Amino acid sequence: MSESEATDPKVLLGHHLKKLKLPTILAEYDKIARQCAEQGIDHRRYLLRLAELELIERERKMVERRIRAAKFPASKSLDSFDFKALPDLNKVLVLELARCEFVIRRENIIALGPSGTGKTHLAIGLGLAVCQKGMTVGFVTAAGLVNQLAEARDEKRLMRLQTSLAKLQLLIIDELGYVPLSQTGAELLFEVISQRYERGAIIVTSNLAFEDWTSVFGSERLTGALLDRLTHHVHILEMNGDSYRLKQSKARRTKQSG
Ligand code: ADP
Ligand code: MG
Protein backbone atom coordinates (compact mmCIF):
# COMPACT_ATOMS: atom_id res chain seq x y z
CA MET A 1 0.00 0.00 0.00
CA SER A 2 1.38 3.43 -0.89
CA GLU A 3 1.61 6.15 1.70
CA SER A 4 -1.31 8.09 0.29
CA GLU A 5 -3.60 5.05 0.42
CA ALA A 6 -2.65 4.19 3.99
CA THR A 7 -3.34 7.61 5.49
CA ASP A 8 -6.80 9.08 5.96
CA PRO A 9 -7.50 10.62 2.55
CA LYS A 10 -9.26 13.55 4.15
CA VAL A 11 -6.09 14.93 5.69
CA LEU A 12 -3.97 14.52 2.59
CA LEU A 13 -6.69 15.74 0.26
CA GLY A 14 -7.12 18.81 2.41
CA HIS A 15 -3.41 19.46 2.20
CA HIS A 16 -3.23 18.97 -1.57
CA LEU A 17 -6.29 21.10 -2.33
CA LYS A 18 -4.86 23.90 -0.22
CA LYS A 19 -1.55 23.68 -2.02
CA LEU A 20 -3.32 23.68 -5.38
CA LYS A 21 -5.31 26.74 -4.22
CA LEU A 22 -8.73 25.15 -4.69
CA PRO A 23 -10.51 26.39 -1.55
CA THR A 24 -14.04 25.97 -2.90
CA ILE A 25 -13.45 22.35 -3.87
CA LEU A 26 -11.98 21.79 -0.41
CA ALA A 27 -15.01 23.33 1.27
CA GLU A 28 -17.58 21.59 -0.92
CA TYR A 29 -16.27 18.18 -1.98
CA ASP A 30 -17.77 16.26 0.92
CA LYS A 31 -21.24 17.76 0.65
CA ILE A 32 -21.31 17.46 -3.15
CA ALA A 33 -20.07 13.85 -2.90
CA ARG A 34 -23.07 13.01 -0.73
CA GLN A 35 -25.46 14.82 -3.07
CA CYS A 36 -24.00 13.05 -6.11
CA ALA A 37 -24.27 9.66 -4.37
CA GLU A 38 -27.94 10.32 -3.54
CA GLN A 39 -28.69 11.43 -7.10
CA GLY A 40 -26.65 8.60 -8.69
CA ILE A 41 -24.33 11.07 -10.41
CA ASP A 42 -21.08 9.58 -11.75
CA HIS A 43 -17.56 10.66 -10.89
CA ARG A 44 -16.97 12.72 -13.99
CA ARG A 45 -20.03 14.82 -13.32
CA TYR A 46 -19.07 15.07 -9.66
CA LEU A 47 -15.70 16.47 -10.66
CA LEU A 48 -17.38 18.77 -13.16
CA ARG A 49 -19.64 20.19 -10.44
CA LEU A 50 -16.70 20.86 -8.20
CA ALA A 51 -14.70 22.52 -10.98
CA GLU A 52 -17.68 24.71 -11.82
CA LEU A 53 -18.12 25.80 -8.22
CA GLU A 54 -14.44 26.70 -7.96
CA LEU A 55 -14.63 28.74 -11.17
CA ILE A 56 -17.79 30.61 -10.15
CA GLU A 57 -16.30 31.51 -6.78
CA ARG A 58 -13.03 32.60 -8.36
CA GLU A 59 -14.84 34.90 -10.80
CA ARG A 60 -16.94 36.36 -8.01
CA LYS A 61 -13.82 37.18 -6.02
CA MET A 62 -12.10 38.66 -9.07
CA VAL A 63 -15.07 40.99 -9.69
CA GLU A 64 -15.02 41.98 -6.01
CA ARG A 65 -11.33 42.82 -6.31
CA ARG A 66 -11.93 44.87 -9.46
CA ILE A 67 -14.69 46.86 -7.71
CA ARG A 68 -12.48 47.53 -4.68
CA ALA A 69 -9.55 48.55 -6.87
CA ALA A 70 -11.74 50.96 -8.89
CA LYS A 71 -12.27 53.10 -5.75
CA PHE A 72 -15.79 54.23 -6.62
CA PRO A 73 -16.85 57.12 -4.36
CA ALA A 74 -20.29 55.58 -3.72
CA SER A 75 -22.12 52.40 -4.46
CA LYS A 76 -24.49 53.11 -7.36
CA SER A 77 -25.74 50.98 -10.18
CA LEU A 78 -27.65 51.46 -13.39
CA ASP A 79 -30.50 49.42 -11.89
CA SER A 80 -31.25 52.27 -9.51
CA PHE A 81 -30.95 54.95 -12.21
CA ASP A 82 -34.28 56.60 -12.95
CA PHE A 83 -34.26 57.30 -16.70
CA LYS A 84 -37.62 59.05 -16.49
CA ALA A 85 -35.94 61.89 -14.61
CA LEU A 86 -33.91 62.69 -17.75
CA PRO A 87 -36.25 62.31 -20.73
CA ASP A 88 -33.66 63.72 -23.15
CA LEU A 89 -30.97 61.19 -22.18
CA ASN A 90 -30.54 58.44 -24.78
CA LYS A 91 -31.51 55.41 -22.69
CA VAL A 92 -30.96 52.97 -25.54
CA LEU A 93 -27.38 54.22 -25.90
CA VAL A 94 -26.74 53.99 -22.13
CA LEU A 95 -27.99 50.39 -22.03
CA GLU A 96 -25.88 49.56 -25.08
CA LEU A 97 -22.83 51.11 -23.36
CA ALA A 98 -23.58 49.03 -20.25
CA ARG A 99 -22.74 45.94 -22.35
CA CYS A 100 -19.18 47.28 -22.09
CA GLU A 101 -18.12 46.78 -25.69
CA PHE A 102 -16.98 50.41 -25.77
CA VAL A 103 -14.17 49.38 -23.41
CA ILE A 104 -13.00 46.60 -25.71
CA ARG A 105 -13.19 49.04 -28.66
CA ARG A 106 -11.31 51.63 -26.54
CA GLU A 107 -13.93 54.30 -27.08
CA ASN A 108 -14.69 57.22 -24.80
CA ILE A 109 -17.83 58.54 -23.16
CA ILE A 110 -18.42 62.16 -22.20
CA ALA A 111 -21.37 62.94 -19.94
CA LEU A 112 -22.30 66.61 -19.94
CA GLY A 113 -24.84 68.42 -17.82
CA PRO A 114 -25.40 70.65 -14.82
CA SER A 115 -24.87 69.57 -11.22
CA GLY A 116 -27.14 66.91 -9.73
CA THR A 117 -28.31 65.36 -13.00
CA GLY A 118 -26.79 61.95 -12.26
CA LYS A 119 -23.49 62.14 -14.15
CA THR A 120 -21.47 60.59 -11.33
CA HIS A 121 -24.20 58.00 -10.68
CA LEU A 122 -24.19 56.99 -14.35
CA ALA A 123 -20.38 56.89 -14.52
CA ILE A 124 -20.23 54.62 -11.46
CA GLY A 125 -23.00 52.44 -12.86
CA LEU A 126 -21.14 51.96 -16.14
CA GLY A 127 -17.85 51.42 -14.27
CA LEU A 128 -19.49 48.76 -12.12
CA ALA A 129 -20.79 46.97 -15.20
CA VAL A 130 -17.26 47.00 -16.62
CA CYS A 131 -15.88 45.50 -13.36
CA GLN A 132 -18.55 42.81 -13.54
CA LYS A 133 -17.22 41.82 -16.95
CA GLY A 134 -13.85 41.28 -15.25
CA MET A 135 -12.15 44.35 -16.69
CA THR A 136 -10.02 46.86 -14.76
CA VAL A 137 -11.42 50.29 -13.86
CA GLY A 138 -10.16 53.35 -12.00
CA PHE A 139 -12.36 56.18 -10.74
CA VAL A 140 -10.87 59.62 -10.03
CA THR A 141 -12.05 63.21 -10.00
CA ALA A 142 -10.17 65.52 -12.34
CA ALA A 143 -8.88 67.55 -9.37
CA GLY A 144 -7.91 64.40 -7.44
CA LEU A 145 -6.09 62.98 -10.44
CA VAL A 146 -4.14 66.18 -10.99
CA ASN A 147 -3.14 66.18 -7.30
CA GLN A 148 -2.05 62.56 -7.50
CA LEU A 149 0.01 63.29 -10.61
CA ALA A 150 1.67 66.38 -9.14
CA GLU A 151 2.49 64.51 -5.95
CA ALA A 152 3.90 61.59 -7.90
CA ARG A 153 6.04 63.94 -9.95
CA ASP A 154 7.43 65.62 -6.83
CA GLU A 155 8.24 62.18 -5.41
CA LYS A 156 9.85 61.05 -8.68
CA ARG A 157 7.30 58.29 -9.33
CA LEU A 158 5.29 59.96 -12.07
CA MET A 159 6.22 57.34 -14.66
CA ARG A 160 5.04 54.55 -12.36
CA LEU A 161 1.68 56.25 -11.78
CA GLN A 162 1.30 57.00 -15.50
CA THR A 163 2.02 53.36 -16.34
CA SER A 164 -0.53 52.08 -13.85
CA LEU A 165 -3.15 54.54 -15.15
CA ALA A 166 -2.41 53.56 -18.74
CA LYS A 167 -2.89 49.88 -17.86
CA LEU A 168 -6.48 50.36 -16.68
CA GLN A 169 -8.99 49.25 -19.27
CA LEU A 170 -11.33 52.06 -18.23
CA LEU A 171 -10.42 55.34 -16.54
CA ILE A 172 -13.29 57.46 -15.21
CA ILE A 173 -12.45 61.14 -14.76
CA ASP A 174 -15.31 62.76 -12.86
CA GLU A 175 -16.06 66.46 -12.41
CA LEU A 176 -13.89 68.01 -15.06
CA GLY A 177 -14.55 71.72 -14.94
CA TYR A 178 -15.45 72.28 -11.31
CA VAL A 179 -11.99 73.68 -10.62
CA PRO A 180 -9.74 75.44 -13.10
CA LEU A 181 -6.37 73.72 -13.42
CA SER A 182 -2.91 75.22 -13.13
CA GLN A 183 -0.80 75.09 -16.27
CA THR A 184 1.18 72.11 -14.94
CA GLY A 185 -2.04 70.46 -13.79
CA ALA A 186 -3.55 70.85 -17.25
CA GLU A 187 -0.41 69.45 -18.88
CA LEU A 188 -0.30 66.44 -16.55
CA LEU A 189 -3.96 65.65 -17.23
CA PHE A 190 -3.42 66.11 -20.95
CA GLU A 191 -0.58 63.57 -20.83
CA VAL A 192 -2.81 60.95 -19.18
CA ILE A 193 -5.53 61.40 -21.78
CA SER A 194 -3.06 61.45 -24.61
CA GLN A 195 -1.31 58.27 -23.36
CA ARG A 196 -4.67 56.48 -23.38
CA TYR A 197 -5.57 57.60 -26.87
CA GLU A 198 -6.80 54.49 -28.74
CA ARG A 199 -5.23 52.34 -26.00
CA GLY A 200 -7.84 52.49 -23.26
CA ALA A 201 -11.36 53.78 -22.70
CA ILE A 202 -12.15 56.97 -20.76
CA ILE A 203 -15.36 58.29 -19.24
CA VAL A 204 -15.31 62.03 -18.54
CA THR A 205 -18.10 63.88 -16.78
CA SER A 206 -18.32 67.65 -16.89
CA ASN A 207 -20.68 70.46 -16.03
CA LEU A 208 -19.17 72.55 -18.83
CA ALA A 209 -20.03 72.60 -22.51
CA PHE A 210 -17.04 71.93 -24.78
CA GLU A 211 -16.67 75.60 -25.70
CA ASP A 212 -15.99 76.37 -22.04
CA TRP A 213 -13.28 73.76 -21.54
CA THR A 214 -10.58 76.31 -22.38
CA SER A 215 -11.41 78.01 -19.09
CA VAL A 216 -10.36 74.80 -17.28
CA PHE A 217 -7.23 74.05 -19.25
CA GLY A 218 -6.11 77.63 -19.72
CA SER A 219 -4.60 77.19 -23.13
CA GLU A 220 -6.72 77.04 -26.27
CA ARG A 221 -4.07 74.97 -28.04
CA LEU A 222 -4.00 72.33 -25.26
CA THR A 223 -7.81 72.19 -25.05
CA GLY A 224 -8.02 71.73 -28.81
CA ALA A 225 -5.48 68.90 -28.79
CA LEU A 226 -7.19 67.26 -25.82
CA LEU A 227 -10.69 67.45 -27.31
CA ASP A 228 -9.32 66.14 -30.59
CA ARG A 229 -8.10 62.94 -28.90
CA LEU A 230 -10.99 62.57 -26.48
CA THR A 231 -13.71 63.00 -29.08
CA HIS A 232 -12.22 60.91 -31.89
CA HIS A 233 -14.17 57.79 -30.81
CA VAL A 234 -16.76 59.14 -28.43
CA HIS A 235 -20.31 58.68 -27.18
CA ILE A 236 -21.77 61.91 -25.82
CA LEU A 237 -24.42 61.69 -23.12
CA GLU A 238 -26.35 64.93 -22.81
CA MET A 239 -27.68 65.05 -19.27
CA ASN A 240 -29.65 68.23 -19.28
CA GLY A 241 -32.31 68.38 -16.65
CA ASP A 242 -33.13 69.60 -13.20
CA SER A 243 -31.05 68.52 -10.23
CA TYR A 244 -32.31 65.15 -9.02
CA ARG A 245 -31.32 66.05 -5.46
CA LEU A 246 -33.29 69.29 -5.58
CA LYS A 247 -36.30 67.57 -7.11
CA GLN A 248 -36.27 64.87 -4.42
CA SER A 249 -36.03 67.30 -1.54
CA LYS A 250 -38.82 69.41 -3.07
CA ALA A 251 -40.97 66.29 -3.42
CA ARG A 252 -40.28 65.39 0.23
CA ARG A 253 -41.22 68.86 1.39
CA THR A 254 -44.45 68.83 -0.60
CA LYS A 255 -45.30 65.44 0.91
CA GLN A 256 -44.60 66.66 4.43
CA SER A 257 -46.61 69.85 4.06
CA GLY A 258 -49.48 68.08 2.22
P1 ADP B 1 -23.95 64.86 -10.76
O1 ADP B 1 -22.74 64.02 -10.74
O2 ADP B 1 -24.50 65.08 -12.12
O3 ADP B 1 -23.77 66.16 -10.02
P2 ADP B 1 -24.96 62.78 -9.06
O4 ADP B 1 -24.75 61.57 -9.91
O5 ADP B 1 -23.99 63.00 -7.97
O6 ADP B 1 -25.08 64.09 -9.98
O7 ADP B 1 -26.44 62.74 -8.49
C1 ADP B 1 -26.82 63.36 -7.27
C2 ADP B 1 -27.65 62.41 -6.44
O8 ADP B 1 -28.90 62.15 -7.08
C3 ADP B 1 -27.00 61.04 -6.28
O9 ADP B 1 -27.33 60.53 -5.02
C4 ADP B 1 -27.62 60.19 -7.37
O10 ADP B 1 -27.66 58.83 -7.02
C5 ADP B 1 -29.01 60.79 -7.46
N1 ADP B 1 -29.51 60.78 -8.85
C6 ADP B 1 -29.27 61.70 -9.80
N2 ADP B 1 -29.91 61.42 -10.94
C7 ADP B 1 -30.56 60.26 -10.71
C8 ADP B 1 -31.42 59.43 -11.51
N3 ADP B 1 -31.74 59.77 -12.76
N4 ADP B 1 -31.90 58.31 -10.92
C9 ADP B 1 -31.61 57.99 -9.65
N5 ADP B 1 -30.82 58.73 -8.85
C10 ADP B 1 -30.31 59.86 -9.36
MG1 MG C 1 -20.91 64.43 -9.89
Side-chain angles (χ1 to χ4, degrees), residues 119-120 174-175 178 205:
K119 298 183 297 298
T120 301
D174 198 24
E175 295 185 354
Y178 278 99
T205 81

mmCIF file with all atom_site columns, all heavy atoms in Angstrom, residues 119-120 174-175 178 205, ligand 2:
data_model
loop_
_atom_site.group_PDB
_atom_site.id
_atom_site.type_symbol
_atom_site.label_atom_id
_atom_site.label_alt_id
_atom_site.label_comp_id
_atom_site.label_asym_id
_atom_site.label_entity_id
_atom_site.label_seq_id
_atom_site.pdbx_PDB_ins_code
_atom_site.Cartn_x
_atom_site.Cartn_y
_atom_site.Cartn_z
_atom_site.occupancy
_atom_site.B_iso_or_equiv
_atom_site.pdbx_formal_charge
_atom_site.auth_seq_id
_atom_site.auth_comp_id
_atom_site.auth_asym_id
_atom_site.auth_atom_id
_atom_site.pdbx_PDB_model_num
ATOM   1  N  N   . LYS A 1 119 ? -24.686 62.478 -13.364 1.00 0.00 ? 119 LYS A N   1
ATOM   2  C  CA  . LYS A 1 119 ? -23.491 62.137 -14.153 1.00 0.00 ? 119 LYS A CA  1
ATOM   3  C  C   . LYS A 1 119 ? -22.584 61.158 -13.392 1.00 0.00 ? 119 LYS A C   1
ATOM   4  O  O   . LYS A 1 119 ? -22.134 60.166 -13.947 1.00 0.00 ? 119 LYS A O   1
ATOM   5  C  CB  . LYS A 1 119 ? -22.695 63.410 -14.498 1.00 0.00 ? 119 LYS A CB  1
ATOM   6  C  CG  . LYS A 1 119 ? -23.466 64.397 -15.352 1.00 0.00 ? 119 LYS A CG  1
ATOM   7  C  CD  . LYS A 1 119 ? -22.619 65.599 -15.715 1.00 0.00 ? 119 LYS A CD  1
ATOM   8  C  CE  . LYS A 1 119 ? -22.171 66.429 -14.511 1.00 0.00 ? 119 LYS A CE  1
ATOM   9  N  NZ  . LYS A 1 119 ? -23.291 67.015 -13.741 1.00 0.00 ? 119 LYS A NZ  1
ATOM   10 N  N   . THR A 1 120 ? -22.337 61.470 -12.121 1.00 0.00 ? 120 THR A N   1
ATOM   11 C  CA  . THR A 1 120 ? -21.473 60.587 -11.330 1.00 0.00 ? 120 THR A CA  1
ATOM   12 C  C   . THR A 1 120 ? -22.141 59.228 -11.136 1.00 0.00 ? 120 THR A C   1
ATOM   13 O  O   . THR A 1 120 ? -21.499 58.178 -11.287 1.00 0.00 ? 120 THR A O   1
ATOM   14 C  CB  . THR A 1 120 ? -21.161 61.231 -9.957  1.00 0.00 ? 120 THR A CB  1
ATOM   15 O  OG1 . THR A 1 120 ? -20.523 62.488 -10.194 1.00 0.00 ? 120 THR A OG1 1
ATOM   16 C  CG2 . THR A 1 120 ? -20.246 60.364 -9.129  1.00 0.00 ? 120 THR A CG2 1
ATOM   17 N  N   . ASP A 1 174 ? -14.055 62.106 -13.239 1.00 0.00 ? 174 ASP A N   1
ATOM   18 C  CA  . ASP A 1 174 ? -15.307 62.762 -12.859 1.00 0.00 ? 174 ASP A CA  1
ATOM   19 C  C   . ASP A 1 174 ? -15.045 64.249 -12.594 1.00 0.00 ? 174 ASP A C   1
ATOM   20 O  O   . ASP A 1 174 ? -13.944 64.637 -12.205 1.00 0.00 ? 174 ASP A O   1
ATOM   21 C  CB  . ASP A 1 174 ? -15.847 62.081 -11.591 1.00 0.00 ? 174 ASP A CB  1
ATOM   22 C  CG  . ASP A 1 174 ? -17.323 62.376 -11.349 1.00 0.00 ? 174 ASP A CG  1
ATOM   23 O  OD1 . ASP A 1 174 ? -18.038 62.696 -12.312 1.00 0.00 ? 174 ASP A OD1 1
ATOM   24 O  OD2 . ASP A 1 174 ? -17.765 62.277 -10.177 1.00 0.00 ? 174 ASP A OD2 1
ATOM   25 N  N   . GLU A 1 175 ? -16.072 65.037 -12.803 1.00 0.00 ? 175 GLU A N   1
ATOM   26 C  CA  . GLU A 1 175 ? -16.056 66.457 -12.415 1.00 0.00 ? 175 GLU A CA  1
ATOM   27 C  C   . GLU A 1 175 ? -14.965 67.285 -13.070 1.00 0.00 ? 175 GLU A C   1
ATOM   28 O  O   . GLU A 1 175 ? -14.289 68.075 -12.405 1.00 0.00 ? 175 GLU A O   1
ATOM   29 C  CB  . GLU A 1 175 ? -15.913 66.582 -10.885 1.00 0.00 ? 175 GLU A CB  1
ATOM   30 C  CG  . GLU A 1 175 ? -17.099 66.014 -10.159 1.00 0.00 ? 175 GLU A CG  1
ATOM   31 C  CD  . GLU A 1 175 ? -17.045 66.244 -8.651  1.00 0.00 ? 175 GLU A CD  1
ATOM   32 O  OE1 . GLU A 1 175 ? -16.025 66.742 -8.153  1.00 0.00 ? 175 GLU A OE1 1
ATOM   33 O  OE2 . GLU A 1 175 ? -18.042 65.936 -7.993  1.00 0.00 ? 175 GLU A OE2 1
ATOM   34 N  N   . TYR A 1 178 ? -15.045 71.641 -12.560 1.00 0.00 ? 178 TYR A N   1
ATOM   35 C  CA  . TYR A 1 178 ? -15.448 72.281 -11.311 1.00 0.00 ? 178 TYR A CA  1
ATOM   36 C  C   . TYR A 1 178 ? -14.367 73.226 -10.801 1.00 0.00 ? 178 TYR A C   1
ATOM   37 O  O   . TYR A 1 178 ? -14.651 74.261 -10.237 1.00 0.00 ? 178 TYR A O   1
ATOM   38 C  CB  . TYR A 1 178 ? -15.796 71.236 -10.243 1.00 0.00 ? 178 TYR A CB  1
ATOM   39 C  CG  . TYR A 1 178 ? -17.205 70.717 -10.403 1.00 0.00 ? 178 TYR A CG  1
ATOM   40 C  CD1 . TYR A 1 178 ? -17.457 69.514 -11.038 1.00 0.00 ? 178 TYR A CD1 1
ATOM   41 C  CD2 . TYR A 1 178 ? -18.285 71.470 -9.958  1.00 0.00 ? 178 TYR A CD2 1
ATOM   42 C  CE1 . TYR A 1 178 ? -18.754 69.047 -11.208 1.00 0.00 ? 178 TYR A CE1 1
ATOM   43 C  CE2 . TYR A 1 178 ? -19.586 71.020 -10.128 1.00 0.00 ? 178 TYR A CE2 1
ATOM   44 C  CZ  . TYR A 1 178 ? -19.809 69.807 -10.759 1.00 0.00 ? 178 TYR A CZ  1
ATOM   45 O  OH  . TYR A 1 178 ? -21.085 69.371 -10.936 1.00 0.00 ? 178 TYR A OH  1
ATOM   46 N  N   . THR A 1 205 ? -16.867 63.148 -17.041 1.00 0.00 ? 205 THR A N   1
ATOM   47 C  CA  . THR A 1 205 ? -18.104 63.877 -16.776 1.00 0.00 ? 205 THR A CA  1
ATOM   48 C  C   . THR A 1 205 ? -17.737 65.342 -16.568 1.00 0.00 ? 205 THR A C   1
ATOM   49 O  O   . THR A 1 205 ? -16.687 65.650 -16.010 1.00 0.00 ? 205 THR A O   1
ATOM   50 C  CB  . THR A 1 205 ? -18.857 63.377 -15.523 1.00 0.00 ? 205 THR A CB  1
ATOM   51 O  OG1 . THR A 1 205 ? -18.262 63.960 -14.357 1.00 0.00 ? 205 THR A OG1 1
ATOM   52 C  CG2 . THR A 1 205 ? -18.847 61.870 -15.402 1.00 0.00 ? 205 THR A CG2 1
HETATM 53 MG MG  . MG  B 2 .   ? -20.910 64.429 -9.891  1.00 0.00 ? 2   MG  B MG  1
#
